[in-house]
Amino acid sequence: MTIKIENLEGIAEAARSFIAQIGDRRVFAFYGTMGAGKTTFIKAICEALGVEDVITSPTFAIVNEYEISGNESLKVFHFDFYRIKRLEEVYDMGYEDYFYSGALCFIEWPELIEPLLPVDAVRVSIDEQPDGSRLVSIT
């Protein structure tokens, strides 16, 4: 599946389209270059899901936890592994407790932890196009 985001004004609709495709899948690995829009798109997804917290990049915290308003039983974990230097750091944070919790997990920079991703993780690639739009590919 592919979603085209023409501009920031269209990101909320793109997030809703993405959510419509989630089904029972829970772990999503977001690939893209620096500045491709991974954090921005994850923020739009969280807002569309009903997260009312302030949604920020977990670059320094590594993981942020959000609750979905009206569905407190479903949590969202937003990861940013950009600063990970060794896989041991991810082991130490107890990644399994997150990835296999049944919560939605949105992972930025998953290429740094590829061996630890669940086999059923959904690959989401965000590519900037020459016209400035973004192409979101979900496999």
Side-chain angles (χ1 to χ4, degrees):
M1 178 185 160
T2 303
I3 301 170
K4 186 168 186 178
I5 305 171
E6 296 287 344
N7 52 43
L8 278 177
E9 288 76 31
I11 200 164
E13 179 59 35
R16 288 190 292 275
S17 293
F18 180 86
I19 291 167
Q21 301 303 314
I22 285 178
D24 62 353
R25 297 174 290 184
R26 291 291 177 253
V27 179
F28 298 85
F30 286 79
Y31 295 83
T33 60
M34 183 76 70
K38 296 179 297 293
T39 301
T40 303
F41 190 52
I42 291 171
K43 179 179 177 184
I45 294 167
C46 289
E47 288 171 350
L49 285 168
V51 172
E52 295 178 351
D53 296 327
V54 175
I55 302 160
T56 60
S57 173
T59 301
F60 294 101
I62 299 177
V63 62
N64 288 342
E65 178 180 338
Y66 305 114
E67 287 187 3
I68 296 174
S69 180
N71 188 356
E72 284 73 24
S73 63
L74 183 59
K75 296 193 179 308
V76 175
F77 295 115
H78 178 192
F79 299 86
D80 184 334
F81 289 117
Y82 182 74
R83 297 192 181 279
I84 292 296
K85 302 293 182 231
R86 297 172 296 116
L87 279 180
E88 289 76 21
E89 295 174 65
V90 184
Y91 285 116
D92 290 345
M93 69 176 281
Y95 78 94
E96 299 106 328
D97 293 338
Y98 296 104
F99 290 1
Y100 300 101
S101 68
L104 289 169
C105 295
F106 300 132
I107 304 165
E108 295 186 52
W109 301 103
E111 51 271 74
L112 301 175
I113 62 150
E114 288 268 339
L116 305 180
L117 290 175
V119 294
D120 61 347
V122 178
R123 183 182 179 99
V124 181
S125 297
I126 302 178
D127 297 300
E128 184 174 7
Q129 302 303 296
D131 65 359
S133 66
R134 302 302 196 266
L135 199 59
V136 180
S137 303
I138 304 161
T139 56

